[in-house]
Amino acid sequence: MIRVLTPLTALAALSLAGCTTPSVPSDSGQVSFDPDACGASQLGAYLGVIARGPAIERIRAWAGKKTVRLTGPGDIVTLELQPDRINVETDGKGVITRIHCG
């Protein structure tokens, strides 16, 4: 028996295929991501501080050669993962709300 997919059935099948999460075996050899690879957990004292002038300069000095990315609401950022990059997120007033690696 030959079954023919209607365009609607084919569209539904394709849209559901995009919802699946690929499974990766744990022994695949992939490098796991250390959420504190950049040491961001040590910068918690800067949460709630305005990310201008001295505060951001001290974070950059502490980071040394590591990249520090300062972002605000609505900023367009790349999605590539850089474990040693320090991401400093601010709210609309420039206050640091989150510091994390990636």
Side-chain angles (χ1 to χ4, degrees):
M1 172 189 232
I2 299 175
R3 292 188 179 200
V4 178
L5 293 177
T6 64
L8 186 56
T9 306
L11 181 61
L14 285 174
S15 64
L16 288 175
C19 295
T20 60
T21 303
S23 61
V24 178
S26 60
D27 61 348
S28 67
Q30 289 185 346
V31 178
S32 62
F33 173 64
D34 175 4
D36 197 38
C38 69
S41 65
Q42 298 177 38
L43 299 170
Y46 290 99
L47 294 175
V49 174
I50 295 179
R52 279 184 275 195
I56 198 66
E57 292 308 316
R58 282 188 292 242
I59 291 171
R60 286 193 169 116
W62 178 88
K65 293 185 177 185
K66 296 175 193 165
T67 302
V68 176
R69 177 168 66 175
L70 181 63
T71 61
D75 287 353
I76 297 172
V77 296
T78 59
L79 297 178
E80 87 275 357
L81 178 64
Q82 294 182 14
D84 63 338
R85 176 176 52 208
I86 300 170
N87 293 296
V88 179
E89 296 180 15
T90 63
D91 64 11
K93 296 180 181 179
V95 175
I96 298 172
T97 57
R98 183 176 178 216
I99 302 174
H100 62 97
C101 302

